[in-house]
Amino acid sequence: MNPNRNEELNAIREGVRALCAEFDAAYWRRIDEEKGFPEAFVRTLTEAGWLAAMIPVEYGGSGLGLSEASVILEEVNHSGGNSGTVHGQMYNMFTLLKHGSEEQKQRYLPKLASGELRLQSMGVTEPTTGTDTTKIKTTAVRQGDKYVINGQKVWISRVQHSDLMILLARTTPLADVTKKSEGMSIFIVDLREAIGSGLTVRPIPNMVNHETNELFFDNLEIPAENLIGEEGKGFRYILDGLNAERTLIAAECIGDGRWFVEKACAYARDRVVFGRPIGQNQGVQFPIAEAHIEIEAADLMRWRACKQYDRGLNAGASANMAKYLAAKASWEAANACLQTHGGFGFASEYDVERKFRETRLYQVAPISTNLILSYVAEHLLELPRSF
Ligand SMILES: Cc1cc2nc3c(=O)[nH]c(=O)nc-3n(C[C@H](O)[C@H](O)[C@H](O)COP(=O)(O)OP(=O)(O)OC[C@H]3O[C@@H](n4cnc5c(N)ncnc54)[C@H](O)[C@@H]3O)c2cc1C
């Protein structure tokens, strides 16, 4: 263990905090009210190099580990911002990095590191299959030097603010494979060429100010060279990137949780009712204290996942459990914070209702809480597989 590790992590923390201070609560509130995209924030974070944290140095990134990357996203959320607007750029490149050819890495990674290209989107979920990913119906059929794509995706985020998308499609029909997880492949789709030429994007209005969309593929042609890795192995490639993604989302939830606890404490100290600060009442203190304890516990699991991942160990169990604990803890903290604020918790100007909506998402996406419980039951506790 590097003895200067904590200093390095603290320096990252301070650097990201300083950058985020330029994008205050009023900024995020305005973006939320306008249902806009925080373009200035995304550009600034990209230009400062933070989103290229995990891209290796030889491809223009910083070559940092998951620990460092997780601190970056934690601090964005801790500052009151929303990493959901940027985190795709940090982790969607994992598939490319791990399974792409050297030519693909040279072509894309340096431009992702500099921000010249954005790979903010990953298209997996479909309307009729949901969590049962192996049943996806979107197909990619090889025709000479092209693949022709047909089908539909839903809830695909940041497509309107991305140049590229990672796409999961079936290349061998389900009926023709021995294992249902086989026969799917991963592609890079150049959205600048695809939209309007076989790909239609329809935004989904939603509870969070989160740019997410339905996608319709109608004979979209993409070059065969855009296949990542081997045909038919795409499902495994996607799974490979999930431990890092889940740990990063856990860190975001921890950042949210800390924001809620600090906000609740500040209000509880200031707000005077019945002649004393409301924070003097144990009925107000205890839910905030409980939220703090649960966030700290989730944070321990997040660090376990980070350390395992950075040492090249299997972080599957820790990453899933960290995501579960952190998403739950941030949601409990959100509830405690809103309750502490009474009626004012509902007023946009306090920012609590916005963060409350934003943090709720993480019990559903990118994987729902039930599916983590199912993973733990089956893989850690060796209970019978339920689906
Ligand atoms: C704002 C937002 C952004 C998103 N961004 C993306 C994106 O960029 N790319 C992408 O590919 N997807 C994205 N998603 C999709 C997200 O990953 C899915 O919504 C999520 O995985 C759940 O799938 P589903 O909505 O189809 O729910 P379903 O699979 O229909 O499940 C509905 C509910 O039933 C539960 N359930 C289902 N089966 C079981 C079972 N066997 N046991 C117990 N419980 C079960 C689930 O846990 C869930 O609570 C996004 C979703 C949202 C809301």
Side-chain angles (χ1 to χ4, degrees):
M1 175 98 171
N2 175 355
N4 300 320
R5 184 109 173 110
N6 284 341
E7 277 174 38
E8 282 170 20
L9 292 175
N10 284 339
I12 291 173
R13 223 176 257 291
E14 291 307 321
V16 178
R17 274 185 197 165
L19 184 151
C20 289
E22 294 171 37
F23 301 92
D24 59 7
Y27 173 82
W28 288 101
R29 203 179 308 137
R30 182 175 54 76
I31 297 283
D32 188 62
E33 282 165 6
E34 291 172 355
K35 294 202 176 294
F37 187 77
E39 187 56 41
F41 167 75
V42 176
R43 205 176 329 110
T44 307
L45 200 69
T46 310
E47 284 168 3
W50 294 119
L51 296 178
M54 293 185 78
I55 296 179
V57 176
E58 61 266 36
Y59 300 111
S62 319
L64 297 171
L66 187 62
S67 304
E68 290 85 352
S70 77
V71 166
I72 295 166
L73 298 185
E74 177 193 339
E75 285 308 320
V76 169
N77 282 38
H78 188 184
S79 77
N82 181 6
S83 293
T85 55
V86 289
H87 55 198
Q89 181 78 354
M90 198 179 251
Y91 58 65
N92 284 336
M93 62 88 197
F94 289 144
T95 325
L96 182 60
L97 181 62
K98 219 161 168 194
H99 304 287
S101 66
E102 190 51 41
E103 197 275 326
Q104 286 172 329
K105 290 189 225 179
Q106 295 285 357
R107 188 175 346 145
Y108 296 114
L109 290 176
K111 288 184 179 166
L112 294 179
S114 68
E116 192 184 326
L117 285 178
R118 286 186 184 172
L119 173 53
Q120 283 261 42
S121 299
M122 168 156 347
V124 174
T125 309
E126 297 194 358
T128 57
T129 46
T131 310
D132 195 0
T133 308
T134 58
K135 305 252 177 63
I136 59 165
K137 297 189 181 78
T138 297
T139 55
V141 177
R142 176 102 191 219
Q143 286 181 9
D145 59 355
K146 293 187 175 66
Y147 278 94
V148 180
I149 299 174
N150 281 288
Q152 195 181 337
K153 297 277 173 188
V154 72
W155 297 118
I156 310 307
S157 301
R158 299 168 296 270
V159 173
Q160 298 159 56
H161 296 92
S162 192
D163 303 299
L164 307 169
M165 174 174 70
I166 298 283
L167 177 73
L168 183 72
R170 195 159 262 295
T171 36
T172 308
L174 192 54
D176 297 343
V177 292
T178 41
K179 275 175 77 182
K180 60 183 182 173
S181 56
E182 288 168 0
M184 287 173 276
S185 304
I186 287 285
F187 300 91
I188 295 185
V189 176
D190 191 323
L191 293 164
R192 297 163 300 177
E193 291 169 6
I195 295 173
S197 307
L199 173 59
T200 306
V201 179
R202 190 187 295 161
I204 306 175
N206 62 85
M207 152 182 171
V208 197
N209 177 33
H210 186 96
E211 190 245 282
T212 189
N213 309 275
E214 278 182 285
L215 305 184
F216 302 88
F217 299 90
D218 183 10
N219 288 321
L220 171 70
E221 294 184 356
I222 60 167
E225 66 195 28
N226 287 19
L227 172 74
I228 298 183
E230 275 182 62
E231 196 183 281
K233 300 215 167 132
F235 187 67
R236 183 166 67 71
Y237 296 166
I238 289 268
L239 292 185
D240 276 353
L242 291 186
N243 293 338
E245 179 187 314
R246 281 175 199 169
T247 309
L248 290 172
I249 301 277
E252 291 175 36
C253 290
I254 286 158
D256 277 344
R258 297 219 160 104
W259 184 90
F260 285 120
V261 166
E262 287 164 16
K263 188 93 175 165
C265 287
Y267 190 79
R269 281 188 208 103
D270 281 359
R271 172 75 170 168
V272 174
V273 182
F274 294 111
R276 58 183 182 176
I278 57 167
Q280 205 174 330
N281 303 302
Q282 291 188 325
V284 174
Q285 291 175 354
F286 284 6
I288 307 173
E290 201 174 0
H292 175 71
I293 293 167
E294 286 171 5
I295 291 154
E296 291 300 308
D299 199 31
L300 292 177
M301 188 62 82
R302 163 268 189 104
W303 283 114
R304 190 167 103 175
C306 284
K307 283 179 188 154
Q308 287 172 338
Y309 186 93
D310 286 339
R311 286 176 188 156
L313 303 172
N314 182 355
S318 305
N320 274 290
M321 293 193 290
K323 155 73 172 58
Y324 173 89
L325 289 169
K328 215 162 162 234
S330 71
W331 173 237
E332 291 307 331
N335 258 325
C337 185
L338 191 123
Q339 196 69 20
T340 302
H341 280 74
F344 290 103
F346 291 81
S348 304
E349 67 170 298
Y350 283 78
D351 302 302
V352 177
E353 62 84 29
R354 172 177 61 81
K355 293 282 281 181
F356 181 92
R357 286 182 277 120
E358 287 170 359
T359 215
R360 183 63 180 84
L361 174 63
Y362 295 120
Q363 291 201 43
V364 172
I367 181 174
S368 72
T369 301
N370 273 2
L371 267 286
I372 295 184
L373 292 174
S374 155
Y375 169 89
V376 169
E378 184 186 331
H379 295 281
L380 304 187
L381 307 180
E382 297 178 0
L383 291 168
R385 187 178 170 79
S386 75
F387 51 83

